[in-house]
């Protein structure tokens, strides 16, 4: 892995040798080990370092970019020559904006030595336990255990300098026996927060709650979206809530900035200070990160705005760097009593836009659907196809559970939503 | 660099590897993205390094590096060997086996006339700007984009079988989109024929400037088009570009043997097309023939050899409607009793472990002469779909829902009116068994996919699909809600 000193040395080389009027230089480097297993055996096992070194230059408003994967002088010389050659031959970019200058950055901590020290043998030990558990249940388990330890730095001609380190440990697994299939996924900055025995116990509880699915017809049905399902879907919000697209009329949020457009209880933010939630001190554009509300109690307070578009519209640039959806305090057991009948969804799958302007999306359920009636789980049921509009769904939220960390960048709650639009069932 | 191939293989043999290979890969990629006359990204990337696989006691270890010295190569072999040993503590079954293969010493180069990396960037940008301006000259076109990608992969591959390969593949991929706004709606139309293994001559041959006004017109027409609301069984006419995506999802992925075996169960999913269905399962009607063909001219998976060192091949995946064979690798084929691999093991970058991939896969054209016009004339009521839109399929690859890019109502054998917001839902085996007519090979068109996401960690694979205009009977078609 490239260390901070080497990154700085590379930046000095760029500063000394790059002839462009402006430039922005970044290095991303990580050491990783990934142990993949399927059907109770390891099928893939990878270790190594990965590096991405990128330079964007500008001569007046003519820009060019290049990237390589090594920091040798030959590599950096190639990087400069390639980016400069592109820029000099390029046409001026009417949306060019000069690079960021030096600024004070927040102090954040996204690094864990325990995660960094994990070895391939450690990961195999985790897999071995999960496989033994599956064998004990006469089931087959597949998944991946991985660790990443990396660093990112950004330098500009105008004096911006930023560096941060981060780690992540992830473990996901799917267990299958006959028609019963379910998945669990955990991701964290610090391996010390991982307890394989606890995860296996939770996984077994989830697995044991499922039986061979019984058929149920599609239609408008109340749903309990567990946090993984919320994370699977609501991440799309962060690709849609862009100010320029809204202003150009191609997004569902056109003309809605500052207005109530989502459900009353729906609040989404990016935050610096929630334990376990990854928060880099700066963005790829060199913006210092800060706490920001995107949607508060249903009102769109901010939309993502690039530096150029902020300049054009005389607004403040911003960018999402993690997702915190505010939670409530209703338990799943309480939610089941709040509607006569409904289904509990573990995961959502293969979500795609149908109509970008309306915000209509489609997807399926996956990894176990439970049908409940009169406050009690009755049985597993088949999977569904759904077509829905995310902002409409937030207006139909009846209750919210506590937020849970699902990915290092994502903490979201359980939602109880009425009249979820299931349009079809799967044939298995 | 060639001497490092020997260094790696000698090191692997002396450590006691049962099998090993090294793939030195240099990937050069040019990417230009234009949005409303603003060049949002004009970049050239170079990724260069090597990956070493060691197979020991029925398990894999893989390590990679970008340090090109004999010591670094030996150290990388050592790491791969050590983690193969770790992997063998939790073996797959009684340990993986590799299908037999012989040694090859060979070279391969994508046939091309004009190397896309030799073309001045100004020429590319000029063409893109002209197309963008043409689109934006239409009042209702508010957002116009153009994306161009060219990629060249140079590989040196050696294995302990004695194989020594020098392979070079190149592809280009131009695509542009017009977004129209009006009528309280926004609709888009794209020109997207996919990627093609070849050079800049392919881009010039597309006459993109001539296509731009049609694309803009059709985006604007979609604003005024009628919304299809009633969901009911209808006939469908699907064009080759649309079918490229449909077959990718509903035939390509389900017939990758690693999915069939459950190796993708935790992420991409599994497959309904399990081995006991081979040679008996009615995947499609009797006129449905799907070929796996990594020798296809212009195919994005046409590379001479795969990353197992297995030569490119052509075979029936579905023959006369029956599931015939899978796409396989040296590690997956023996599990179902196959003695040889079909050569479908491919990695994206040097640091990626090769995985079982869809080959170039296409629907064979109809054997009887049939033009698109004759097929339309022979169709009383149907929806004709052009291009690609929304797509979603379950993790077993059975139930799916697709949209499209442009929709026409066919009435009494003629294109009656344009529609918008159309989707259809179907499943395997209903969908491909409903095929009753396929236009002939004069109307065959290919579509190269360059962004097939699969694997953990995710990799971006590429392959080409193809078809002629095809008719499907009695499929559930309706509006987007």
């Amino acid at each position: 892995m490239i260390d901070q000193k080497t990154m700085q040395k590379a930046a000095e080389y760029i500063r000394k040798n790059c002839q462009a009027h402006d430039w922005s230089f970044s290095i991303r480097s990580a050491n990783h080990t990934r142990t993949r297993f399927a059907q109770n055996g390891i099928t893939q096992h990878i270790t190594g370092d990965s590096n991405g070194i990128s330079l964007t230059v500008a001569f007046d408003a003519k820009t060019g970019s290049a990237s390589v994967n090594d920091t040798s002088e030959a590599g950096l010389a190639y990087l400069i020559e390639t980016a400069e050659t592109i820029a000099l031959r390029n046409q001026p970019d009417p949306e060019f904006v000069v690079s960021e200058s030096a600024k004070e950055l927040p102090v954040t901590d996204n690094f864990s030595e325990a995660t960094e020290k994990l070895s391939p043998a450690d990961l195999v030990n985790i897999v071995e336990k999960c496989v033994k558990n599956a064998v004990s249940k006469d089931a087959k388990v597949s998944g991946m255990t991985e660790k990443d330890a990396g660093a990112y730095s950004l330098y500009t001609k105008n004096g911006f300098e930023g560096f941060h380190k981060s780690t992540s440990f992830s473990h996901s697994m799917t267990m299958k026996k006959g028609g019963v299939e379910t998945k669990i996924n955990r991701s964290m900055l610090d391996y010390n927060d991982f307890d394989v025995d606890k995860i296996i116990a939770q996984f077994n509880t989830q697995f044991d709650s499922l039986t061979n699915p019984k058929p149920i017809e599609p239609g408008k049905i109340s749903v309990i979206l567990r946090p993984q399902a919320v994370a699977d879907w609501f991440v799309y919000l962060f690709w849609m809530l862009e100010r320029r697209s809204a202003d150009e009329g191609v997004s569902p949020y056109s003309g809605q900035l500052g207005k109530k457009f989502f459900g009353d209880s729906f609040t989404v933010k990016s935050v610096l200070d929630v334990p376990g939630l990854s928060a880099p001190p700066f963005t790829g554009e060199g913006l210092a990160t800060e706490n920001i509300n995107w949607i508060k109690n249903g009102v769109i307070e901010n939309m993502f705005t690039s530096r150029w578009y902020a300049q054009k519209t005389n607004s403040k640039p911003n960018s999402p760097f993690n997702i915190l959806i505010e939670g409530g305090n209703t338990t799943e057991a309480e939610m089941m009593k709040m509607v006569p009948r409904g289904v509990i969804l573990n995961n959502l799958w293969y979500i795609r836009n149908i109509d970008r302007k309306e915000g209509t999306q489609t997807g399926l359920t996956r990894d176990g659907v439970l049908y409940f009636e009169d406050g009690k789980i009755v049985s597993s049921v088949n999977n569904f196809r759904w077509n829905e509009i995310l902002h409409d769904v937030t207006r139909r939220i009846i209750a919210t559970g506590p937020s849970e960390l699902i990915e290092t960048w994502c903490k979201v709650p359980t939602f109880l939503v009425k009249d979820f639009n299931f349009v079809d069932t799967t044939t298995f | 660099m060639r001497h490092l191939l020997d260094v790696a293989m000698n090191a692997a043999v002396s450590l006691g590897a049962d099998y090993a290979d090294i793939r030195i890969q240099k990937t050069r990629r040019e990417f230009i993205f234009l949005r409303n006359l603003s060049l949002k990204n004009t970049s050239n990337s170079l990724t260069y390094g090597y990956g070493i696989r060691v197979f020991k006691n029925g398990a894999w270890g893989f390590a990679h590096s970008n340090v090109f010295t004999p010591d670094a190569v030996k150290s990388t072999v050592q790491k791969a060997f050590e983690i193969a040993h770790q992997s063998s503590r939790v073996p797959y079954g009684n340990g993986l086996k590799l299908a037999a293969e012989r040694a090859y010493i060979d070279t391969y180069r994508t046939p091309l006339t004009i190397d896309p990396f030799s073309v001045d960037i100004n020429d590319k940008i000029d063409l893109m700007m002209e197309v963008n301006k043409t689109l934006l000259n239409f009042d209702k076109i508010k957002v116009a984009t153009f994306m161009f990608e060219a990629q060249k992969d140079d590989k040196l591959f050696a294995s302990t079988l004695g194989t020594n390969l020098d392979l070079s593949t190149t592809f280009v991929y131009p695509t542009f989109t017009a977004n129209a706004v009006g009528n309280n709606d926004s609709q888009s139309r794209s020109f997207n024929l996919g990627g093609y293994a070849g050079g800049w001559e392919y881009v010039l041959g597309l006459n993109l400037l001539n296509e731009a006004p049609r694309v803009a017109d059709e985006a604007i027409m979609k604003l005024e088009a009628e919304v299809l609301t009633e969901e009911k069984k209808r006939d469908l006419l699907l064009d080759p570009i649309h079918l490229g995506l449909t077959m990718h999802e509903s035939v390509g992925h389900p017939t990758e043997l690693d999915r069939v075996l459950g190796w993708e169960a935790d992420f991409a999913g599994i497959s309904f097309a399990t081995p006991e269905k081979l040679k008996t399962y009615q995947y499609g009607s009797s006129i449905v023939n799907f070929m796996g063909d990594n020798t296809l001219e212009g195919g994005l998976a046409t590379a001479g050899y795969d990353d197992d060192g297995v030569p490119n091949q052509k075979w029936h995946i579905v023959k006369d409607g029956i599931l015939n064979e899978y796409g396989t690798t040296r590690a997956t084929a023996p599990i179902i009793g196959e003695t040889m691999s079909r050569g479908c093991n491919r990695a994206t970058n040097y640091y990626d472990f090769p995985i079982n991939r869809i080959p170039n896969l296409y629907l064979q054209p109809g054997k009887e002469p049939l033009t698109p016009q004759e097929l339309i004339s022979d169709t009383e009521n149907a929806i004709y779909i052009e291009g690609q839109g929304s797509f979603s399929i379950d993790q077993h690859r059975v139930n799916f829902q697709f949209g499209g890019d442009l929709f026409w109502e066919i009435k009494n054998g003629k294109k009656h009116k344009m529609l918008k917001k159309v989707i259809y839902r179907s499943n395997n085996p209903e969908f491909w068994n409903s095929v009753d007519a396929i236009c002939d090979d004069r109307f065959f068109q290919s579509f190269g996919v360059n962004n097939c996401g699969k694997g953990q960690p995710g990799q971006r694979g590429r392959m080409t699909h193809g078809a002629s205009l095809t008719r499907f009977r009695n499929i559930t078609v309706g509006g987007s809600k």
Side-chain angles (χ1 to χ4, degrees):
Chain A
M1 195 177 96
I2 302 170
D3 59 26
Q4 187 174 10
K5 200 174 160 190
T6 307
M7 290 184 179
Q8 281 168 335
K9 195 176 156 200
E12 281 313 307
Y13 183 92
I14 300 293
R15 198 172 291 287
K16 192 173 163 191
N17 293 284
C18 184
Q19 302 299 311
H21 303 152
D22 195 6
W23 52 260
S24 173
F25 175 65
S26 67
I27 302 182
R28 186 180 298 281
S29 181
N31 173 265
H32 57 80
T33 298
R34 291 165 178 145
T35 310
R36 197 174 192 208
F37 52 106
Q39 308 300 307
N40 294 350
I42 291 174
T43 54
Q44 183 179 311
H45 201 170
I46 303 172
T47 192
D49 290 350
S50 58
N51 307 317
I53 296 113
S54 300
L55 176 68
T56 296
V57 304
F59 290 94
D60 295 324
K62 299 197 295 181
T63 63
S65 300
S67 65
V68 293
N69 65 327
D70 84 285
T71 53
S72 67
E73 286 207 355
L76 295 174
Y78 171 86
L79 190 70
I80 292 171
E81 188 193 343
T82 307
E84 288 188 347
T85 302
I86 293 170
L88 286 167
R89 291 181 183 176
N90 212 341
Q91 299 189 16
D93 182 0
E95 298 180 9
F96 170 73
V97 58
V98 296
S99 65
E100 275 290 355
S101 52
K103 54 171 48 86
E104 199 174 318
L105 300 172
V107 176
T108 62
D109 182 8
N110 304 298
F111 192 85
S112 149
E113 279 187 16
T115 307
E116 186 189 29
K117 283 179 185 163
L118 282 168
S119 70
D122 295 328
L123 300 190
V124 172
N125 290 341
I126 294 165
V127 173
E128 196 169 26
K129 275 198 167 188
C130 297
V131 167
K132 276 184 184 163
N133 173 66
V135 169
S136 75
K137 300 181 84 66
D138 195 24
K140 294 285 174 77
V141 70
S142 307
M144 187 162 83
T145 300
E146 62 180 319
K147 76 107 183 195
D148 277 271
Y152 178 72
S153 62
L154 178 69
Y155 308 87
T156 70
K157 174 143 187 175
N158 289 322
F160 179 91
E161 278 196 34
F163 172 85
H164 72 95
K165 295 199 297 178
S166 62
T167 49
S168 72
F169 168 80
S170 302
H171 177 79
S172 80
M173 55 183 170
T174 294
M175 193 148 66
K176 189 170 187 327
K177 183 181 179 183
V180 175
E181 177 181 0
T182 198
K183 172 173 178 150
I184 201 162
N185 178 43
R186 291 289 182 271
S187 186
M188 56 210 70
L189 300 173
D190 187 355
Y191 176 66
N192 287 325
D193 294 338
F194 183 73
D195 180 337
V196 65
D197 295 320
K198 192 174 159 190
I199 294 296
I200 287 173
Q202 286 175 357
F203 193 39
N204 286 345
T205 303
Q206 190 172 306
F207 184 80
D208 293 341
S209 73
L210 300 168
T211 52
N212 279 323
K214 295 193 172 106
I216 181 173
E217 290 299 306
K220 306 259 186 191
I221 302 172
S222 294
V223 295
I224 293 174
L225 289 167
R226 283 179 168 162
Q228 183 68 55
V230 172
D232 290 340
W233 187 19
F234 281 57
V235 66
Y236 283 77
L237 185 60
F238 279 68
W239 297 330
M240 294 160 67
L241 197 69
E242 199 240 340
R243 183 162 178 187
R244 185 178 182 180
S245 300
D247 290 351
E248 287 171 335
V250 297
S251 116
Y253 314 124
S254 300
Q256 299 301 329
L257 185 62
K259 296 179 186 169
K260 177 162 279 193
F261 193 64
F262 290 79
D264 290 343
S265 61
F266 189 65
T267 295
V268 189
K269 337 166 164 178
S270 291
V271 292
L272 290 169
D273 47 4
V274 171
L277 199 55
S278 167
F282 57 95
T283 71
E285 277 196 307
L287 299 172
T289 49
E290 58 184 358
N291 291 341
I292 184 165
N293 290 330
W294 301 109
I295 298 163
K296 189 170 183 190
N297 297 330
V299 176
I300 302 178
E301 290 198 348
N302 289 288
M303 291 191 194
F304 320 141
T305 311
S306 69
R307 292 180 62 239
W308 174 78
Y309 200 66
Q311 193 173 280
K312 187 187 173 189
T313 54
N314 197 23
S315 56
K316 195 175 173 186
N318 54 45
S319 178
F321 52 90
N322 61 29
I323 302 174
L324 174 69
I325 299 182
E326 218 165 64
N329 49 22
T330 313
T331 65
E332 194 171 286
E334 289 166 344
M335 288 179 183
M336 281 195 283
K337 291 175 186 160
M338 296 168 84
V339 290
R341 61 190 278 271
V343 292
I344 299 171
L345 308 181
N346 280 316
N347 287 336
L348 301 178
W349 167 245
Y350 224 120
I351 300 165
R352 292 289 183 277
N353 286 329
I354 296 178
D355 188 308
R356 193 178 163 204
K357 176 66 182 166
E358 284 178 349
T360 317
Q361 294 176 313
T362 190
L364 294 123
T365 62
R366 182 171 172 175
D367 301 320
V369 182
L370 292 165
Y371 175 70
F372 65 89
E373 222 173 61
D374 301 327
K376 286 179 186 163
I377 290 171
V378 177
S379 68
S380 299
V381 292
N382 47 252
N383 282 295
F384 294 95
R385 154 85 51 205
W386 52 269
N387 292 343
E388 266 291 6
I389 296 175
L390 194 146
H391 56 261
D392 273 354
V393 164
T394 66
R395 296 169 188 158
R396 284 181 263 130
I397 292 171
I398 298 169
T400 306
S403 289
E404 293 178 25
L405 192 70
I406 297 302
E407 301 284 350
T408 55
W409 47 268
C410 174
K411 191 171 181 181
V412 297
T414 300
F415 286 130
L416 171 64
V417 178
K418 74 175 176 183
D419 293 340
F420 202 78
N421 187 34
F422 293 115
V423 295
D424 203 358
T425 61
T426 60
T427 50
F428 56 86
Chain B
M1 290 301 161
R2 282 182 176 274
H3 69 289
L4 295 178
L5 302 176
D6 293 335
V7 169
M9 293 304 92
N10 291 339
V13 168
S14 54
L15 283 169
D18 296 332
Y19 168 83
D21 58 39
I22 176 170
R23 174 172 38 91
I24 300 176
Q25 185 172 339
K26 182 190 281 186
T27 300
R28 187 174 171 194
R29 182 170 179 254
E30 183 176 76
F31 182 77
I32 309 173
F33 179 60
L34 182 64
R35 185 189 198 277
N36 286 12
L37 307 178
S38 166
L39 285 154
K40 307 314 292 179
N41 190 347
T42 315
S43 64
N44 197 317
S45 69
L46 179 68
T47 310
Y48 193 19
Y50 54 91
I52 292 169
R53 290 193 304 175
V54 169
F55 190 70
K56 179 70 181 170
N57 296 332
W60 286 114
F62 179 75
H64 57 82
S65 172
N66 63 349
V67 181
F68 287 96
T69 63
D71 284 347
V73 169
K74 286 180 201 165
S75 162
T76 307
V77 172
Q78 179 75 38
K79 277 187 203 166
F81 184 83
E82 283 167 8
I83 65 169
H85 170 70
Q86 290 294 336
S87 302
S88 68
R89 286 168 44 204
V90 188
Y92 179 90
N94 294 319
L96 292 166
K97 292 180 176 55
L98 301 181
E101 195 47 80
R102 73 172 182 86
Y104 300 89
I105 296 172
D106 205 353
T107 60
Y108 176 82
R109 300 282 180 272
T110 298
L112 53 84
T113 309
I114 308 170
D115 183 341
F117 292 95
S118 73
V119 177
D120 195 296
I121 198 158
N122 264 336
D123 293 347
K124 295 164 186 162
I125 292 171
D126 283 351
L127 173 65
M128 295 171 71
M129 283 283 183
E130 281 307 305
V131 169
N132 217 238
K133 280 179 196 163
T134 305
L135 299 176
L136 290 167
N137 278 339
F138 290 75
D139 276 353
K140 289 185 176 172
I141 301 300
K142 299 300 180 194
V143 182
T145 60
F146 195 133
M147 195 165 67
F148 173 75
E149 182 180 358
Q151 186 168 316
K152 184 174 190 181
D153 286 279
D154 294 318
K155 291 181 190 176
L156 295 173
F157 176 93
S159 77
T160 50
L161 293 177
T163 291
N164 200 309
L165 303 170
D166 177 351
L167 312 171
S168 178
T169 54
T170 303
F171 76 88
V172 291
Y173 194 151
T175 177
F176 63 87
T177 299
N179 288 273
V181 176
N183 205 19
N184 202 26
D185 194 8
S186 169
Q187 291 290 324
S188 67
R189 175 72 169 134
S190 295
F191 178 92
N192 184 3
L193 302 185
Y196 189 83
W200 182 245
E201 70 280 359
Y202 171 76
V203 180
L204 295 178
L206 294 172
N207 294 317
L208 299 176
L209 273 170
N210 292 343
E211 297 287 345
R214 175 186 61 79
V215 168
D217 268 336
E218 288 176 350
I220 293 164
M221 285 166 71
K222 280 175 80 176
L223 291 174
E224 307 294 331
E226 201 172 292
V227 176
L228 189 66
T229 50
E230 188 192 6
E231 183 176 292
K232 65 175 186 180
K233 295 278 185 183
R234 292 177 162 99
D235 294 344
L236 282 174
L237 294 176
L238 301 180
D239 89 344
I241 304 305
H242 179 88
L243 283 172
L245 181 58
T246 314
M247 74 179 67
H248 180 90
E249 304 296 349
S250 67
V251 183
H253 282 307
T255 55
E256 293 167 325
L257 184 52
D258 66 337
R259 286 188 68 119
V260 171
L261 296 170
W263 290 20
E264 289 285 332
D266 186 54
F267 181 56
I270 57 176
S271 172
F272 73 94
T274 41
E276 76 281 4
K277 296 188 174 85
L278 280 172
K279 314 290 184 190
T280 60
Y281 180 76
Q282 194 77 45
Y283 212 116
S285 65
S286 61
I287 61 169
V288 170
N289 285 281
F290 279 106
M291 301 302 299
D293 183 0
N294 285 337
T295 67
L296 179 70
E297 186 183 342
L300 297 191
T302 303
Y305 294 80
D306 75 350
D307 292 331
D308 268 340
V310 175
N312 285 177
Q313 298 164 52
K314 180 177 177 178
W315 70 104
H316 269 99
I317 286 185
V318 172
K319 189 175 184 184
D320 300 330
I322 304 293
L323 175 64
N324 188 60
E325 262 195 74
Y326 298 115
T328 61
T329 71
R330 289 191 68 206
T332 57
I335 297 169
I336 59 162
E338 297 288 342
T339 54
M340 301 289 284
S341 163
R342 282 299 188 184
C344 296
N345 214 23
R346 303 199 298 277
T348 303
N349 294 292
Y350 77 84
Y351 50 78
D352 290 317
F353 186 83
I355 55 175
N356 204 145
R357 282 290 188 178
I358 303 174
N360 297 322
L361 173 90
Y362 53 85
L363 176 65
Q364 280 195 320
K367 288 173 184 159
E368 303 299 324
L370 181 65
T371 69
Q373 191 49 55
E374 287 167 344
L375 183 55
I376 292 170
S377 299
D378 183 54
T379 306
E380 197 175 342
N381 290 298
I383 306 293
Y384 186 124
I385 302 182
E386 294 181 41
Q388 301 175 355
S390 177
F391 59 103
S392 177
I393 188 164
D394 70 56
Q395 76 274 18
H396 294 197
R397 298 276 150 176
V398 177
N399 307 271
F400 46 84
Q401 177 177 296
F402 285 87
D405 199 30
L406 197 68
F407 313 94
W408 298 94
E409 183 182 26
I410 303 293
K411 211 168 177 181
N412 300 321
K414 286 183 182 160
K415 278 186 181 174
H416 176 58
K417 64 183 171 192
M418 191 183 274
L419 301 167
K420 65 180 174 185
K421 305 186 181 186
V422 176
I423 53 173
Y424 66 88
R425 275 198 297 280
S426 188
N427 60 66
N428 275 314
E430 172 194 79
F431 186 69
W432 294 104
N433 274 285
S434 75
V435 173
D436 78 337
I438 307 173
C439 290
D440 66 62
D441 59 4
R442 291 171 295 168
F443 308 99
F444 181 87
Q445 252 188 301
S446 66
F447 181 86
V449 176
N450 73 333
N451 59 352
C452 172
K454 181 181 172 182
Q456 287 175 304
Q459 295 188 47
R460 187 172 177 256
R462 56 184 195 262
M463 64 288 297
T464 290
H465 304 303
S468 301
L469 182 68
T470 301
R471 184 169 64 195
F472 297 75
R473 297 288 198 186
N474 283 318
I475 302 296
T476 301
V477 185
S480 58
K481 292 184 179 165

